[in-house]
Amino acid sequence: PKNFAVTPSAFIKRIGLEINNEESVLYWAAKNDIPIFCPALTDGSIGDMIFFHSYKRPGFIVDIARDIRNINDLAVQSHATGQIIIGGGLVK
């Protein structure tokens, strides 16, 4: 099968678009094209689901490195930036 790579931020945006709930932060971020970066996306139940899904679709790849590049490019190209950081690192 053909490989299909997606960044965690694109995965989160897709969830926001599919959720269709105006009470959701993901919904509004997706609607306003505001990226949400989460390098720890695979650490938890979503990671487990991605793992098991990889057996059904072996070409599915979560490209965390591309998101790191995207967030750094965004910071370098911006005139003014802001961020909300939740947590202080991975617990494992």
Side-chain angles (χ1 to χ4, degrees), residues 18-41:
E18 296 291 332
I19 221 168
N20 198 23
N21 179 344
E22 292 187 358
E23 295 179 5
S24 169
V25 172
L26 299 183
Y27 171 85
W28 287 109
K31 290 287 184 186
N32 290 289
D33 203 27
I34 299 168
I36 294 178
F37 294 100
C38 180
L41 180 73

Side-chain angles (χ1 to χ4, degrees), residues 78-89:
S78 296
H79 296 287
T81 61
Q83 60 185 324
I84 298 171
I85 300 173
I86 301 172

Side-chain angles (χ1 to χ4, degrees), residues 32-79:
N32 290 289
D33 203 27
I34 299 168
I36 294 178
F37 294 100
C38 180
L41 180 73
T42 57
D43 184 35
S45 64
I46 290 179
D48 293 341
M49 288 186 274
I50 291 169
F51 170 76
F52 290 117
H53 184 74
S54 72
Y55 285 100
K56 186 176 181 181
R57 306 226 192 256
F60 183 66
I61 298 165
V62 178
D63 189 354
I64 295 170
R66 188 165 33 143
D67 246 7
I68 293 168
R69 183 182 184 119
N70 290 345
I71 195 170
N72 287 325
D73 287 347
L74 185 64
V76 168
Q77 296 169 5
S78 296
H79 296 287

